[in-house]
Short mmCIF file of all heavy atoms in Angstrom, two decimals:
data_model
loop_
_atom_site.label_atom_id
_atom_site.label_comp_id
_atom_site.label_asym_id
_atom_site.label_seq_id
_atom_site.Cartn_x
_atom_site.Cartn_y
_atom_site.Cartn_z
N THR N 330 7.33 -9.52 6.49
CA THR N 330 5.91 -9.42 6.66
C THR N 330 5.46 -8.03 6.35
O THR N 330 6.12 -7.00 6.75
CB THR N 330 5.51 -9.62 8.19
OG1 THR N 330 6.02 -10.93 8.60
CG2 THR N 330 4.07 -9.52 8.39
N ILE N 331 4.46 -7.93 5.55
CA ILE N 331 3.77 -6.66 5.30
C ILE N 331 2.48 -6.75 6.16
O ILE N 331 1.60 -7.60 5.88
CB ILE N 331 3.40 -6.45 3.80
CG1 ILE N 331 4.74 -6.36 3.03
CG2 ILE N 331 2.62 -5.16 3.62
CD1 ILE N 331 4.57 -6.34 1.56
N ALA N 332 2.37 -5.91 7.14
CA ALA N 332 1.24 -5.95 8.08
C ALA N 332 0.45 -4.67 7.95
O ALA N 332 1.03 -3.52 7.72
CB ALA N 332 1.73 -6.05 9.51
N VAL N 333 -0.87 -4.82 7.95
CA VAL N 333 -1.78 -3.65 7.86
C VAL N 333 -2.75 -3.68 9.02
O VAL N 333 -3.87 -4.27 8.88
CB VAL N 333 -2.49 -3.55 6.47
CG1 VAL N 333 -3.32 -2.29 6.40
CG2 VAL N 333 -1.54 -3.69 5.34
N PRO N 334 -2.38 -3.12 10.19
CA PRO N 334 -3.33 -3.03 11.30
C PRO N 334 -4.19 -1.82 11.15
O PRO N 334 -3.73 -0.73 10.70
CB PRO N 334 -2.47 -3.01 12.52
CG PRO N 334 -1.14 -2.40 12.07
CD PRO N 334 -1.06 -2.68 10.54
N TYR N 335 -5.42 -1.91 11.62
CA TYR N 335 -6.33 -0.80 11.59
C TYR N 335 -7.13 -0.77 12.90
O TYR N 335 -7.50 -1.84 13.43
CB TYR N 335 -7.33 -1.00 10.42
CG TYR N 335 -8.44 0.01 10.36
CD1 TYR N 335 -8.21 1.26 9.81
CD2 TYR N 335 -9.70 -0.30 10.88
CE1 TYR N 335 -9.24 2.20 9.75
CE2 TYR N 335 -10.72 0.63 10.83
CZ TYR N 335 -10.55 1.89 10.28
OH TYR N 335 -11.55 2.80 10.22
N SER N 336 -7.35 0.40 13.45
CA SER N 336 -8.15 0.46 14.64
C SER N 336 -9.09 1.63 14.58
O SER N 336 -8.81 2.69 13.94
CB SER N 336 -7.24 0.62 15.90
OG SER N 336 -6.59 1.85 15.90
N LYS N 337 -10.25 1.51 15.23
CA LYS N 337 -11.23 2.53 15.19
C LYS N 337 -11.69 2.79 16.60
O LYS N 337 -12.07 1.81 17.36
CB LYS N 337 -12.45 2.16 14.36
CG LYS N 337 -13.51 3.15 14.16
CD LYS N 337 -14.59 2.69 13.21
CE LYS N 337 -15.51 3.81 12.82
NZ LYS N 337 -14.89 4.81 11.93
N GLU N 338 -11.62 4.06 17.05
CA GLU N 338 -12.04 4.43 18.43
C GLU N 338 -13.07 5.51 18.32
O GLU N 338 -12.91 6.48 17.55
CB GLU N 338 -10.86 4.88 19.23
CG GLU N 338 -9.89 3.74 19.53
CD GLU N 338 -8.45 4.07 19.06
OE1 GLU N 338 -8.18 5.29 18.89
OE2 GLU N 338 -7.64 3.19 18.81
N THR N 339 -14.08 5.38 19.12
CA THR N 339 -15.11 6.41 19.14
C THR N 339 -15.63 6.63 20.55
O THR N 339 -15.48 5.73 21.37
CB THR N 339 -16.36 6.04 18.25
OG1 THR N 339 -16.84 4.78 18.69
CG2 THR N 339 -16.00 5.97 16.80
N GLY N 340 -16.22 7.74 20.78
CA GLY N 340 -16.82 8.06 22.09
C GLY N 340 -16.19 9.27 22.69
O GLY N 340 -15.20 9.82 22.11
N ALA N 341 -16.81 9.82 23.76
CA ALA N 341 -16.34 11.01 24.42
C ALA N 341 -16.28 12.19 23.44
O ALA N 341 -15.37 13.01 23.55
CB ALA N 341 -14.98 10.79 25.10
N GLY N 342 -17.19 12.16 22.48
CA GLY N 342 -17.27 13.26 21.51
C GLY N 342 -16.22 13.29 20.47
O GLY N 342 -15.95 14.36 19.85
N ALA N 343 -15.54 12.19 20.23
CA ALA N 343 -14.47 12.14 19.24
C ALA N 343 -14.39 10.87 18.51
O ALA N 343 -15.04 9.87 18.87
CB ALA N 343 -13.14 12.40 19.95
N ARG N 344 -13.69 10.90 17.41
CA ARG N 344 -13.49 9.65 16.60
C ARG N 344 -12.05 9.64 16.09
O ARG N 344 -11.47 10.70 15.79
CB ARG N 344 -14.42 9.73 15.36
CG ARG N 344 -14.16 8.63 14.37
CD ARG N 344 -14.98 8.85 13.05
NE ARG N 344 -14.59 10.08 12.39
CZ ARG N 344 -13.49 10.16 11.65
NH1 ARG N 344 -12.65 9.13 11.44
NH2 ARG N 344 -13.17 11.34 11.04
N ARG N 345 -11.54 8.46 16.04
CA ARG N 345 -10.15 8.33 15.53
C ARG N 345 -9.96 6.98 14.81
O ARG N 345 -10.27 5.93 15.41
CB ARG N 345 -9.08 8.47 16.64
CG ARG N 345 -7.67 8.07 16.19
CD ARG N 345 -6.66 8.39 17.23
NE ARG N 345 -6.49 9.78 17.40
CZ ARG N 345 -5.34 10.39 17.79
NH1 ARG N 345 -4.30 9.65 17.93
NH2 ARG N 345 -5.27 11.68 17.91
N ASP N 346 -9.56 7.07 13.55
CA ASP N 346 -9.20 5.86 12.82
C ASP N 346 -7.72 5.86 12.56
O ASP N 346 -7.14 6.87 12.16
CB ASP N 346 -9.91 5.83 11.44
CG ASP N 346 -11.43 5.83 11.59
OD1 ASP N 346 -11.90 5.49 12.68
OD2 ASP N 346 -12.12 6.18 10.61
N VAL N 347 -7.08 4.72 12.82
CA VAL N 347 -5.63 4.67 12.66
C VAL N 347 -5.27 3.52 11.79
O VAL N 347 -5.71 2.35 12.02
CB VAL N 347 -4.94 4.45 14.06
CG1 VAL N 347 -3.41 4.33 13.86
CG2 VAL N 347 -5.25 5.61 15.01
N LEU N 348 -4.56 3.77 10.74
CA LEU N 348 -4.00 2.76 9.81
C LEU N 348 -2.47 2.85 9.90
O LEU N 348 -1.88 3.94 9.71
CB LEU N 348 -4.52 3.06 8.44
CG LEU N 348 -4.19 2.08 7.35
CD1 LEU N 348 -4.95 0.75 7.58
CD2 LEU N 348 -4.51 2.62 5.95
N GLU N 349 -1.90 1.69 10.16
CA GLU N 349 -0.46 1.75 10.38
C GLU N 349 0.24 0.56 9.65
O GLU N 349 0.66 -0.41 10.28
CB GLU N 349 -0.09 1.69 11.88
CG GLU N 349 1.37 2.02 12.14
CD GLU N 349 1.69 2.17 13.62
OE1 GLU N 349 0.84 1.88 14.44
OE2 GLU N 349 2.79 2.60 13.90
N PRO N 350 0.35 0.70 8.32
CA PRO N 350 1.04 -0.42 7.60
C PRO N 350 2.52 -0.47 7.96
O PRO N 350 3.12 0.60 8.21
CB PRO N 350 0.81 -0.01 6.11
CG PRO N 350 0.54 1.43 6.15
CD PRO N 350 -0.12 1.75 7.40
N SER N 351 3.03 -1.63 8.00
CA SER N 351 4.45 -1.73 8.31
C SER N 351 5.12 -2.86 7.57
O SER N 351 4.45 -3.77 7.07
CB SER N 351 4.59 -2.04 9.81
OG SER N 351 4.11 -3.26 10.13
N VAL N 352 6.46 -2.76 7.42
CA VAL N 352 7.23 -3.89 6.92
C VAL N 352 8.04 -4.41 8.08
O VAL N 352 8.72 -3.59 8.78
CB VAL N 352 8.17 -3.32 5.76
CG1 VAL N 352 9.09 -4.48 5.33
CG2 VAL N 352 7.32 -2.80 4.63
N GLU N 353 8.03 -5.70 8.27
CA GLU N 353 8.78 -6.33 9.33
C GLU N 353 9.69 -7.36 8.78
O GLU N 353 9.30 -8.16 7.92
CB GLU N 353 7.77 -6.91 10.33
CG GLU N 353 6.81 -5.95 10.92
CD GLU N 353 5.61 -6.57 11.57
OE1 GLU N 353 5.74 -7.73 12.05
OE2 GLU N 353 4.50 -5.95 11.62
N VAL N 354 10.90 -7.35 9.32
CA VAL N 354 11.85 -8.39 8.85
C VAL N 354 12.39 -9.09 10.09
O VAL N 354 12.78 -8.51 11.06
CB VAL N 354 13.05 -7.68 8.15
CG1 VAL N 354 14.08 -8.74 7.66
CG2 VAL N 354 12.59 -6.89 6.97
N GLU N 355 12.32 -10.45 10.06
CA GLU N 355 12.87 -11.24 11.11
C GLU N 355 13.97 -12.15 10.56
O GLU N 355 13.89 -12.62 9.40
CB GLU N 355 11.76 -12.14 11.72
CG GLU N 355 10.59 -11.38 12.32
CD GLU N 355 10.96 -10.65 13.59
OE1 GLU N 355 11.92 -11.14 14.29
OE2 GLU N 355 10.36 -9.62 13.88
N TYR N 356 14.95 -12.48 11.41
CA TYR N 356 16.04 -13.29 10.96
C TYR N 356 16.37 -14.30 12.04
O TYR N 356 16.41 -13.99 13.24
CB TYR N 356 17.31 -12.45 10.70
CG TYR N 356 18.49 -13.28 10.25
CD1 TYR N 356 18.57 -13.78 8.97
CD2 TYR N 356 19.52 -13.56 11.15
CE1 TYR N 356 19.66 -14.56 8.61
CE2 TYR N 356 20.60 -14.32 10.77
CZ TYR N 356 20.69 -14.81 9.45
OH TYR N 356 21.72 -15.55 9.10
N GLY N 357 16.58 -15.57 11.65
CA GLY N 357 16.86 -16.62 12.64
C GLY N 357 18.36 -16.73 12.88
O GLY N 357 19.08 -17.26 12.05
N LEU N 358 18.83 -16.26 14.06
CA LEU N 358 20.20 -16.40 14.42
C LEU N 358 20.51 -17.89 14.68
O LEU N 358 21.58 -18.38 14.28
CB LEU N 358 20.52 -15.57 15.70
CG LEU N 358 20.39 -14.07 15.55
CD1 LEU N 358 20.58 -13.42 16.91
CD2 LEU N 358 21.50 -13.56 14.57
N THR N 359 19.61 -18.52 15.35
CA THR N 359 19.69 -19.95 15.50
C THR N 359 18.27 -20.50 15.32
O THR N 359 17.35 -19.66 15.07
CB THR N 359 20.17 -20.41 16.91
OG1 THR N 359 19.17 -20.00 17.88
CG2 THR N 359 21.49 -19.74 17.31
N ALA N 360 18.04 -21.81 15.47
CA ALA N 360 16.70 -22.29 15.24
C ALA N 360 15.78 -21.86 16.40
O ALA N 360 14.55 -21.95 16.20
CB ALA N 360 16.73 -23.80 15.21
N ASN N 361 16.28 -21.38 17.46
CA ASN N 361 15.40 -20.95 18.57
C ASN N 361 15.64 -19.48 19.05
O ASN N 361 15.22 -19.15 20.14
CB ASN N 361 15.55 -21.91 19.77
CG ASN N 361 16.99 -21.99 20.25
OD1 ASN N 361 17.89 -21.39 19.67
ND2 ASN N 361 17.18 -22.75 21.31
N TRP N 362 16.32 -18.70 18.21
CA TRP N 362 16.56 -17.33 18.63
C TRP N 362 16.47 -16.47 17.32
O TRP N 362 17.23 -16.64 16.41
CB TRP N 362 17.91 -17.16 19.28
CG TRP N 362 18.21 -15.78 19.77
CD1 TRP N 362 17.33 -14.81 20.03
CD2 TRP N 362 19.47 -15.23 20.02
NE1 TRP N 362 17.86 -13.68 20.47
CE2 TRP N 362 19.28 -13.86 20.50
CE3 TRP N 362 20.80 -15.67 19.98
CZ2 TRP N 362 20.32 -13.04 20.83
CZ3 TRP N 362 21.81 -14.81 20.34
CH2 TRP N 362 21.58 -13.53 20.81
N SER N 363 15.57 -15.47 17.34
CA SER N 363 15.42 -14.63 16.20
C SER N 363 15.43 -13.16 16.63
O SER N 363 15.08 -12.80 17.74
CB SER N 363 14.18 -14.94 15.44
OG SER N 363 13.03 -14.98 16.28
N ILE N 364 15.79 -12.34 15.66
CA ILE N 364 15.78 -10.85 15.89
C ILE N 364 15.04 -10.23 14.73
O ILE N 364 14.90 -10.83 13.65
CB ILE N 364 17.20 -10.27 16.01
CG1 ILE N 364 18.00 -10.66 14.77
CG2 ILE N 364 17.93 -10.78 17.24
CD1 ILE N 364 19.35 -9.93 14.64
N GLY N 365 14.59 -9.01 14.92
CA GLY N 365 13.85 -8.40 13.86
C GLY N 365 13.71 -6.85 14.04
O GLY N 365 14.04 -6.28 15.05
N ILE N 366 13.17 -6.24 12.99
CA ILE N 366 12.88 -4.81 12.97
C ILE N 366 11.54 -4.63 12.33
O ILE N 366 11.16 -5.32 11.37
CB ILE N 366 13.99 -4.06 12.28
CG1 ILE N 366 13.81 -2.55 12.35
CG2 ILE N 366 14.14 -4.50 10.84
CD1 ILE N 366 14.96 -1.75 11.88
N GLU N 367 10.86 -3.57 12.81
CA GLU N 367 9.53 -3.23 12.24
C GLU N 367 9.62 -1.75 11.85
O GLU N 367 9.95 -0.93 12.67
CB GLU N 367 8.47 -3.44 13.31
CG GLU N 367 7.08 -3.17 12.88
CD GLU N 367 6.11 -3.40 14.04
OE1 GLU N 367 6.34 -4.33 14.85
OE2 GLU N 367 5.18 -2.60 14.20
N LEU N 368 9.22 -1.47 10.59
CA LEU N 368 9.24 -0.11 10.13
C LEU N 368 7.79 0.29 9.74
O LEU N 368 7.33 -0.10 8.61
CB LEU N 368 10.18 -0.05 8.86
CG LEU N 368 11.57 -0.60 9.03
CD1 LEU N 368 12.25 -0.80 7.71
CD2 LEU N 368 12.41 0.35 9.92
N PRO N 369 7.15 1.06 10.59
CA PRO N 369 5.76 1.47 10.28
C PRO N 369 5.59 2.79 9.68
O PRO N 369 6.50 3.67 9.82
CB PRO N 369 5.11 1.43 11.64
CG PRO N 369 6.23 1.80 12.61
CD PRO N 369 7.53 1.43 11.93
N TYR N 370 4.47 2.97 9.00
CA TYR N 370 4.03 4.31 8.51
C TYR N 370 2.62 4.53 9.06
O TYR N 370 1.79 3.58 8.87
CB TYR N 370 4.12 4.40 7.02
CG TYR N 370 4.07 5.79 6.51
CD1 TYR N 370 5.19 6.48 6.23
CD2 TYR N 370 2.83 6.34 6.25
CE1 TYR N 370 5.14 7.80 5.81
CE2 TYR N 370 2.77 7.72 5.81
CZ TYR N 370 3.90 8.41 5.59
OH TYR N 370 3.86 9.71 5.10
N LYS N 371 2.35 5.64 9.62
CA LYS N 371 1.08 5.76 10.29
C LYS N 371 0.19 6.86 9.71
O LYS N 371 0.70 7.93 9.35
CB LYS N 371 1.35 6.14 11.79
CG LYS N 371 0.10 6.10 12.65
CD LYS N 371 0.45 6.56 14.05
CE LYS N 371 0.97 5.40 14.84
NZ LYS N 371 1.18 5.77 16.28
#
Side-chain angles (χ1 to χ4, degrees):
Chain N
T330 302
I331 296 172
V333 186
Y335 173 81
S336 68
K337 187 176 190 67
E338 294 124 21
T339 55
R344 171 191 63 80
R345 170 173 289 213
D346 298 342
V347 179
L348 185 68
E349 191 172 10
S351 66
V352 176
E353 301 164 27
V354 181
E355 299 290 332
Y356 179 76
L358 292 174
T359 67
N361 56 358
W362 184 20
S363 51
I364 56 171
I366 185 171
E367 180 182 325
L368 308 165
Y370 196 91
K371 186 183 280 186

